[in-house]
């Protein structure tokens, strides 16, 4: 057995049985949150808001403006502006005293309990909450890597990638081909690729009706499949060609220089190639040593890492059980986590965990559908309790109401994250 | 006439003589059941693929009667014994009189 | 008898409005809910009055509501929370729970709230401006 610094410090700390380390200066317990999305924004806001200044909360997020992945397909479809899906962090600082630092977290020392930023700053923590979202797995689509994302965008982290994809679609030649390489399970936002197809079809139907859409999919079926297929047949007949696993949709490679896509051995020229690769937890989770394979396993009771009780992982990056990787799920997990973290640092009441999710998708203008479920913590995982899904053949008014409801939800959840 | 109909077939290109192969077929089709109402509460006429046929060198492999309960984009997967080289033919019959066909040649390893 | 009669009349209204096919057990459940908000029957051993609710529990539970319902902003399809009448709120939750009132998300969310939790939410909401 070799003694590295980590093991040695771990042993030393145990021997001294030191009490919880308080932050230098303030004397208050410190929470550091990495990632300012639906998980990180919400958890920082709830801890700061509900502890009323008793906990120092620092939020580390590289971007000054957060563009939500949810509703970014509506931007691609021309139904929302980029400003409508962009949010800033000013209110979190002003309203709740959260220390927002725009930088990358590059290292986590779980023995000394601190986070190092790219700028060199070292932040001590009592509780660390990681909500870094996703990274792409290199090599999952042969021919594609991050260096070609400006040619073949993923647009699965919203912002400039969404703008690039929208511009490429608008500039497609008449009768051109938009191709999507869909991701394997599990991935962020299960209905997301198919809502995107709907929105691309919405644009092409109006501006480029002889264009074609091809989807190469490694899965035999997908989220809300019956609803999407029915909607596509209604709104965009003949426009969309979905090639699933059964027809070789998982056997794909791309050539970005030639703009060629090969599906099941057959090569085709494409004008836009939207490659959504396989995904894994955002890199900081791996650097912190809390991942097992692609994701970070967590305890269902409070979202704490199975590796370290003082580290929590929220949202897309965690492996929790039955909840889909969605903004709604991350927001729901963040509230359970905030309650548990606050309780352990200040002695406030800790209530039983409860989780929920709803995902709305837009198939065409005013044709919205939704799927949702509630979840409970079991010993083993976060387990599904109850749920619902929109039905094929619902009347147009209900679909319109569902879409309007999703817009209202968007206003509410972004307020819940940022205001 | 139904719009946007496209057929898709997958099977191995080469097999051993006497081998059983799995064949997958799909046709993108609305499969309008005839039971739904439009926005003016008028029934939408039935328009489905009502029959699917597969033959190998003129010999029947499978012949299906299809009802209005089958969902959009019917997918069929079945197995066939391949006695020797030849061509599989696939035929879909639409309510509107249209007939869609596809075919695949299969060779046999020596 | 008077309040019960009122409740029965309201129930008839509800049945008509939602055109229920099978009213039997649903009527009984909704009757209980409506009687509860008239203060006739005890619910789960506690009188269903907002003032008795556990405000702190309600605050925790409300986090689940505000993902869609803003506290102080009324949107087209989703009502705001502030200003809700506690009794109307509790009756609405019981009606969703009993699937007397239509809405898949609300039926699901209310469906797992027990009576104590509904009262706690009402108690917390009545503290909001």
């Amino acid at each position: 057995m070799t003694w590295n610094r980590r093991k040695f410090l771990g042993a030393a700390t145990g021997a001294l049985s030191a009490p919880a380390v308080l932050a230098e200066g303030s004397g208050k317990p410190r929470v550091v949150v990495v990632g300012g999305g639906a998980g990180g924004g919400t958890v920082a806001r709830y801890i700061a808001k509900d502890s009323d200044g008793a906990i120092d909360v620092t939020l580390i997020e590289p971007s000054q403006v957060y563009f939500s992945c949810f509703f970014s397909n509506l931007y691609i479809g021309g139904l929302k502006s980029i400003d409508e899906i962009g949010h800033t962090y000013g209110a979190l600082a002003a309203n709740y005293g959260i220390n927002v630092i725009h930088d990358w977290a590059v290292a986590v020392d779980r023995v000394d309990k601190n986070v190092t930023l790219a700028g060199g700053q070292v932040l001590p923590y009592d509780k660390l909450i990681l909500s870094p979202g996703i990274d792409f797995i290199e090599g999952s689509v042969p021919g594609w890597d991050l260096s070609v994302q400006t040619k073949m965008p993923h647009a699965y982290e919203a912002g400039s990638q969404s703008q690039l994809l929208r511009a490429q679609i608008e500039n497609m030649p008449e009768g051109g081909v938009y191709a999507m390489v869909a991701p394997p399970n599990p991935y962020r936002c299960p209905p997301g690729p198919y809502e995107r197809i709907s929105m691309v079809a919405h644009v092409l139907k109006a501006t480029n009706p002889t264009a074609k859409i091809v989807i190469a999919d490694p899965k035999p079926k997908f989220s809300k499949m019956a609803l999407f297929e029915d909607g596509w047949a209604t709104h965009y007949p003949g426009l969309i060609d979905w090639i699933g696993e059964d027809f070789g949709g998982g056997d794909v490679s791309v050539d970005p220089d030639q703009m060629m896509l090969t599906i099941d051995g057959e090569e085709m020229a494409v004008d836009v190639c939207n490659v959504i690769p396989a995904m894994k937890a955002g890199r900081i989770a791996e650097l912190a040593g809390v991942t097992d394979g692609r994701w970070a396993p967590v305890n269902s009771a409070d979202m704490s890492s199975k590796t370290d009780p003082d580290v929590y992982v929220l949202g897309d990056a965690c492996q929790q059980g039955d909840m889909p990787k969605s903004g709604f799920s991350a927001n729901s997990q963040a509230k359970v986590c905030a309650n548990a973290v606050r309780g352990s640092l200040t002695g406030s009441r800790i209530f039983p965990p409860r989780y929920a999710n709803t995902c709305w998708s837009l198939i065409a203008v005013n044709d919205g559908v939704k799927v949702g479920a509630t979840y409970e913590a079991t010993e083993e995982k976060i387990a599904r309790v109850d749920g619902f899904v929109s039905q094929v053949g619902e009347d147009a008014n209900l679909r319109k109401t569902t879409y309007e409801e999703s817009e209202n939800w968007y206003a509410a959840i972004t307020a819940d994250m940022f205001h | 006439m139904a719009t946007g109909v496209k057929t898709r077939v997958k099977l191995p290109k080469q097999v051993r003589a006497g081998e059983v192969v799995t064949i997958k077929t799909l046709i993108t089709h609305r499969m309008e059941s005839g039971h739904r109402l439009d926005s003016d509460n008028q029934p939408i006429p039935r328009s489905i693929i009502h029959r699917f046929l597969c033959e190998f060198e003129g010999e029947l492999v499978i012949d299906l009667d299809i009802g209005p309960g089958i969902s959009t984009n019917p997918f069929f997967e079945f197995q066939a014994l391949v006695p020797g080289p030849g061509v599989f033919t696939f035929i879909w019959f639409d309510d509107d009189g249209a007939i869609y066909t596809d075919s695949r040649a299969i060779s046999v390893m020596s | 008898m008077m309040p019960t009669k009122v409740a029965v009349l309201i129930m008839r209204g509800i049945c008509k409005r939602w055109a229920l096919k099978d009213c039997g057990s649903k009527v009984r459940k909704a009757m209980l809910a409506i009687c509860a908000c008239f203060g006739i029957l005890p619910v789960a051993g506690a009188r269903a009055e907002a003032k008795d609710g556990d405000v702190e529990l309600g605050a925790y539970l409300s986090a689940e509501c505000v993902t869609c319902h803003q506290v102080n902003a009324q949107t087209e399809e989703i009502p705001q929370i502030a200003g809700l009448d506690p009794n109307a709120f509790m009756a609405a939750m019981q009606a969703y729970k009993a699937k007397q009132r239509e809405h898949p998300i609300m039926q699901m969310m209310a469906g797992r709230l027990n009576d104590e939790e509904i009262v706690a939410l009402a108690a917390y909401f009545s503290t909001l401006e």
Side-chain angles (χ1 to χ4, degrees), chain A residues 108-366:
Chain A
V108 172
D109 183 334
R110 291 195 284 111
V111 175
D112 286 349
K113 296 177 82 170
N114 62 51
V115 178
T116 304
L117 306 186
Q121 204 177 346
V122 177
L123 302 167
Y125 68 79
D126 298 301
K127 296 284 189 184
L128 173 65
I129 303 171
L130 302 176
S131 190
I134 49 129
D135 269 346
F136 299 114
I137 297 177
E138 295 279 318
S140 63
V141 176
W144 192 95
D145 61 43
L146 275 181
S147 72
V148 301
Q149 67 174 349
T150 49
K151 209 153 188 174
M152 292 186 166
H154 51 80
Y156 232 64
E157 283 166 339
S160 60
Q161 276 279 303
S162 319
Q163 291 175 297
L164 173 64
L165 182 62
R166 177 162 151 176
Q168 287 185 347
I169 293 162
E170 283 166 358
N171 291 321
M172 270 171 63
E174 200 183 320
V177 176
Y178 163 97
M180 172 188 282
V181 177
N185 289 323
Y187 61 96
R188 160 181 285 180
C189 189
Y194 312 99
E195 180 186 62
R196 174 168 302 167
I197 291 298
S198 307
M199 291 294 96
V200 173
H202 166 71
V203 171
L204 294 178
K205 185 184 173 185
T207 60
N208 192 346
T210 55
K212 290 283 170 211
I213 295 176
V214 176
I215 312 151
D217 203 324
K219 305 182 289 297
K221 56 186 187 193
F222 56 83
S223 172
K224 302 179 189 165
M225 183 166 176
L227 292 166
F228 280 113
E229 289 200 322
D230 181 72
W232 293 346
T234 302
H235 299 293
Y236 319 113
L239 182 54
I240 299 165
D241 190 10
W242 178 77
I243 304 171
E245 185 198 34
D246 288 308
F247 297 95
D251 179 12
V252 167
S253 65
V254 296
D255 180 345
D257 290 330
Q258 304 298 319
M259 284 305 283
M260 299 297 281
L261 167 65
T262 305
I263 305 172
D264 197 27
E266 278 182 46
E267 207 178 27
M268 66 193 294
V270 295
D271 298 290
V272 176
C273 197
N274 180 191
V275 177
I276 309 174
M279 298 172 203
K280 60 179 179 180
R283 186 158 160 71
I284 193 68
E286 197 178 329
L287 292 173
V290 294
T291 52
D292 179 9
R294 290 160 64 181
W295 312 102
V298 293
N299 295 304
S300 59
D302 60 0
M303 304 305 293
S304 62
S305 163
K306 293 208 171 178
T307 312
D308 185 333
D310 290 325
V311 177
Y312 300 75
V313 188
L314 304 178
D316 297 345
C318 75
Q319 179 187 306
Q320 32 68 23
D322 296 347
M323 296 182 82
K325 298 183 183 300
S326 73
F328 198 122
S329 292
N331 172 270
S332 173
Q333 293 159 8
K335 289 162 182 175
V336 171
C337 176
N339 178 253
V341 165
R342 197 163 60 87
S344 78
L345 293 175
T346 68
S348 62
R349 283 169 73 189
I350 298 176
F351 296 102
R354 51 200 301 133
Y355 303 98
N357 176 62
T358 300
C359 288
W360 287 266
S361 303
L362 191 60
I363 298 176
V365 172
N366 289 328

Side-chain angles (χ1 to χ4, degrees), chain B residues 63-77:
Chain B
D63 187 354
L64 297 173
D65 280 329
I66 305 165
I70 302 294
S71 66
T72 304
N73 304 345
F75 168 75
F76 300 116
E77 179 175 335

